Amino acid sequence: MDEVRSSAAWVASRSSHVFIDSSGIEKVVEDTKDSIPKVEWNFEGIHYSDDGPLTVQYLLVLDALNFCFWPDKDLNYDDLASGLKLALEKDKSVFDADRLQKYTGPELRALLNWPRPLPLEDERVRLLHEVGYELERSFDGKAANLVESCGKSASKLVRTIAQHFSGFRDHSVYKGHQIFLYKRAQIFAADLYVLRQLGVLRYSSLLAGLIEAENEIKAGSEEEIELRACSVYAVEKMRELIAEKSGKQVLSVDLDLWLWSYGIRIPGLQHHRTLSIYY
């Protein structure tokens, strides 16, 4: 979406903690422009998929819960995706809109077969209720109807989700300027620390120290907004440069999936820690 790109560029041009390394972008593009593989979304086999409306319902529930795993060192995205998949395979009505509105924290844990409270569990339960309520109120209970209403437009889908579900309404204020990111509605959370590993992003010594010490970085702080906005800006610059150098049009989602698959192969890769429902 244009407002996300323009927001990210605005922050990147004023950032004082995170910096785009143009030479780093050039090097990554030169090294990979002819070799970025098309990564399959379900390359690990952890997602539910039946090529029907139940898959869409699963994905909306998954995306509603896909944030902030780090306070529990054993919990990650794979646990969430595969746990929801197994729950749906056992009971095809488990994500019906009326049931989503009634789950408690312990019931959500049982759904995921998780033995202890989830990070930000109350928020996760609230978001499940919100999804169930709004699907029932506006889309006859079906996420597939939500998608169909957007006429195959990805940007309209992001706008519609943000309009109907406050839990996806990912806005911040940075130096008095409203910033739109919508990360959970459109891109994977792992882009950021992979970009640093590749040399595309540089951090101030203060910010690098906070991340390496695993200190929490407050949601909505300048550092946190810069981390997020600069990652979006850097991916867009990579995409543009690949097109310029190779003549190939690479989708942002393809870069996101490649960065995600690249990142999970690097043991010990550090990321910043923020308590947030948006990623």
Side-chain angles (χ1 to χ4, degrees), residues 26 36 49 51 56 59 63 82 96 104 145 167 192 202 232:
E26 289 269 1
I36 291 179
S49 180
D51 296 322
V56 185
L59 289 176
D63 287 342
S82 58
D96 284 1
T104 65
N145 292 341
L192 181 67
R202 291 185 294 105
V232 173

Side-chain angles (χ1 to χ4, degrees), residues 40-73:
E40 293 296 327
W41 165 70
N42 195 31
F43 70 98
E44 294 179 292
I46 58 175
H47 299 97
Y48 179 87
S49 180
D50 67 356
D51 296 322
L54 203 54
T55 297
V56 185
Q57 199 85 356
Y58 163 85
L59 289 176
L60 185 60
V61 171
L62 172 63
D63 287 342
L65 299 174
N66 180 18
F67 58 87
C68 202
F69 299 104
W70 63 264
D72 189 323
K73 64 181 179 62

Side-chain angles (χ1 to χ4, degrees), residues 5 37 89 96 123 126 129 132 153 157 209-210 262:
R5 292 190 182 96
E89 287 174 342
D96 284 1
E123 284 293 276
R126 180 183 69 81
H129 294 176
S153 167
L157 179 59
L210 290 173
Y262 177 91

Side-chain angles (χ1 to χ4, degrees), residues 9-36:
W10 197 91
V11 173
S13 69
R14 294 160 174 81
S15 179
S16 53
H17 304 281
V18 183
F19 311 100
I20 308 294
D21 190 325
S22 297
S23 63
I25 293 177
E26 289 269 1
K27 185 178 186 306
V28 172
V29 169
E30 191 60 39
D31 291 345
T32 60
K33 68 179 188 296
D34 296 318
S35 60
I36 291 179

Side-chain angles (χ1 to χ4, degrees), residues 29-147:
V29 169
E30 191 60 39
D31 291 345
T32 60
K33 68 179 188 296
D34 296 318
S35 60
I36 291 179
K38 183 81 170 181
V39 180
E40 293 296 327
W41 165 70
N42 195 31
F43 70 98
E44 294 179 292
I46 58 175
H47 299 97
Y48 179 87
S49 180
D50 67 356
D51 296 322
L54 203 54
T55 297
V56 185
Q57 199 85 356
Y58 163 85
L59 289 176
L60 185 60
V61 171
L62 172 63
D63 287 342
L65 299 174
N66 180 18
F67 58 87
C68 202
F69 299 104
W70 63 264
D72 189 323
K73 64 181 179 62
D74 298 318
L75 181 67
N76 58 45
Y77 173 81
D78 289 9
D79 298 311
L80 176 65
S82 58
L84 294 176
K85 173 186 177 180
L86 289 173
L88 188 54
E89 287 174 342
K90 289 178 183 176
D91 180 356
K92 299 299 185 186
S93 69
V94 72
F95 300 143
D96 284 1
D98 60 335
R99 292 186 63 179
L100 291 175
Q101 296 174 63
K102 298 172 184 173
Y103 282 116
T104 65
E107 287 170 342
L108 176 57
R109 280 178 243 157
L111 202 67
L112 296 172
N113 195 28
W114 196 250
R116 53 187 175 274
L118 297 157
L120 298 182
E121 184 171 277
D122 290 346
E123 284 293 276
R124 285 184 158 91
V125 169
R126 180 183 69 81
L127 293 173
L128 275 186
H129 294 176
E130 177 185 81
V131 167
Y133 171 78
E134 190 58 25
L135 284 179
E136 187 170 70
R137 186 177 77 95
S138 301
F139 301 102
D140 197 27
K142 307 294 183 185
N145 292 341
L146 161 66
V147 173

Side-chain angles (χ1 to χ4, degrees), residues 214-234:
E214 298 187 345
N215 291 332
E216 181 184 344
I217 295 173
K218 295 295 185 184
S221 66
E222 285 194 3
E223 292 89 342
E224 190 253 355
I225 294 170
E226 289 177 15
L227 284 163
R228 302 184 65 205
C230 287
S231 69
V232 173
Y233 182 77

Side-chain angles (χ1 to χ4, degrees), residues 28 32 37 39 43 190-191 193-199 255-267 269:
V28 172
T32 60
V39 180
F43 70 98
D191 285 355
Y193 49 92
V194 176
L195 289 171
R196 188 188 181 202
Q197 177 77 15
L198 288 169
L255 273 177
D256 293 331
L257 281 169
W258 174 71
L259 289 166
W260 170 265
S261 64
Y262 177 91
I264 62 175
R265 295 195 299 269
I266 303 175
L269 196 60

